[in-house]
Amino acid sequence: DQQVKQNSPSLSVQEGRISILNCDYTNSMFDYFLWYKKYPAEGPTFLISISSIKDKNEDGRFTVFLNKSAKHLSLHIVPSQPGDSAVYFCAASAMNRDDKIIFGKGTRLHILP
Amino acid sequence: DAGITQSPRHKVTETGTPVTLRCHQTENHRYMYWYRQDPGHGLRLIHYSYGVKDTDKGEVSDGYSVSRSKTEDFLLTLESATSSQTSVYFCAITGTGANTDTQYFGPGTRLTVL
């Protein structure tokens, strides 16, 4: 059973607008969440993370929101730029398994001109 | 960029042949991981290592074995490759553990099993 779910396989957003990527999780033991970005033919690269003690973390154009009661997190990109077109993976780790993380299936973001 | 290399970058092999993929790091990081990426499945953990000679299974470990005889190298072996193991394989490293530290990924190895 999937512990980290990204229910939208793809998303198209106009350049300059806000992109919102969503992620749900089922394991209440997860306490650290990450977003990775992946371009074709490259390895994933870390984008932003959030600990369960926070509900928001911001880094430039990227903000991650965490709603623990709903077991939901989202990544906001404002404003969206052409270089943001990529696959975005949501990931989570649990306090009792500090050596590995679980990834979602990814959402492909297309930024339209 | 984290110093991670993978070799080979591309490989085509036949069903039933053994295959070994190598991950090499220059960061002296403790943890190393092997993932596979497949359409519709995202990144799935195969095996990981938390130190020299210390390894553990991930969620899709069947058909794979690993070895780590020194800090900088983590080898993934397919003893007898099958077509279902056609995939892109990524190695990742992290220093202090996945729940407190970022994972840095290598460039990937594209493996095709005919």
Side-chain angles (χ1 to χ4, degrees):
Chain A
D1 192 27
Q2 267 190 282
Q3 297 186 67
V4 177
K5 301 178 184 179
Q6 294 178 258
N7 292 320
S8 298
S10 66
L11 175 68
S12 295
V13 174
Q14 208 76 34
E15 182 180 353
R17 299 289 189 101
I18 182 171
S19 294
I20 300 175
L21 292 88
N22 293 305
C23 178
D24 298 296
Y25 60 96
T26 58
N27 188 340
S28 58
M29 299 298 286
F30 285 149
D31 64 342
Y32 188 60
F33 304 89
L34 312 94
W35 285 94
Y36 282 81
K37 177 178 179 179
K38 185 184 180 305
Y39 292 120
E42 295 183 11
T45 56
F46 170 75
L47 193 56
I48 193 169
S49 64
I50 187 167
S51 165
S52 60
I53 63 174
K54 294 185 174 183
D55 54 18
K56 176 183 174 181
N57 189 27
E58 193 171 350
D59 183 2
R61 297 186 298 113
F62 302 92
T63 303
V64 56
F65 295 91
L66 176 62
N67 182 333
K68 291 185 287 295
S69 61
K71 294 191 179 67
H72 176 84
L73 63 154
S74 61
L75 174 68
H76 292 213
I77 306 173
V78 183
S80 299
Q81 298 176 353
D84 297 330
S85 292
V87 176
Y88 290 80
F89 290 102
C90 173
S93 69
M95 63 183 78
N96 62 341
R97 288 309 308 266
D98 61 354
D99 47 9
K100 61 183 180 183
I101 63 175
I102 306 298
F103 284 84
K105 293 184 177 182
T107 296
R108 183 177 299 277
L109 177 64
H110 300 271
I111 304 302
L112 306 171
Chain B
D1 287 345
I4 314 170
T5 55
Q6 293 184 230
S7 58
R9 293 293 314 278
H10 301 271
K11 186 168 182 67
V12 179
T13 191
E14 294 189 349
T15 298
T17 60
V19 176
T20 295
L21 309 183
R22 179 181 183 237
C23 177
H24 179 77
Q25 59 143 332
T26 57
E27 306 298 316
N28 201 36
H29 278 356
R30 177 183 173 192
Y31 293 87
M32 298 185 75
Y33 305 78
W34 276 108
Y35 292 89
R36 60 179 288 176
Q37 186 197 6
D38 304 288
H41 290 278
L43 288 161
R44 293 182 292 175
L45 181 65
I46 305 171
H47 281 280
Y48 67 102
S49 169
Y50 46 96
V52 173
K53 292 187 168 48
D54 293 323
T55 65
D56 203 353
K57 295 179 179 179
E59 58 184 305
V60 290
S61 59
D62 287 348
Y64 301 95
S65 63
V66 290
S67 65
R68 191 166 177 203
S69 59
K70 44 187 179 177
T71 300
E72 57 265 35
D73 289 325
F74 192 33
L75 304 180
L76 176 70
T77 297
L78 291 65
E79 299 290 347
S80 178
T82 67
S83 57
S84 65
Q85 294 176 311
T86 292
S87 186
V88 180
Y89 291 85
F90 289 101
C91 173
I93 64 174
T94 189
T96 60
N99 73 335
T100 56
D101 199 1
T102 322
Q103 286 191 332
Y104 295 95
F105 284 81
T109 295
R110 181 173 293 276
L111 176 67
T112 302
V113 183
L114 302 175

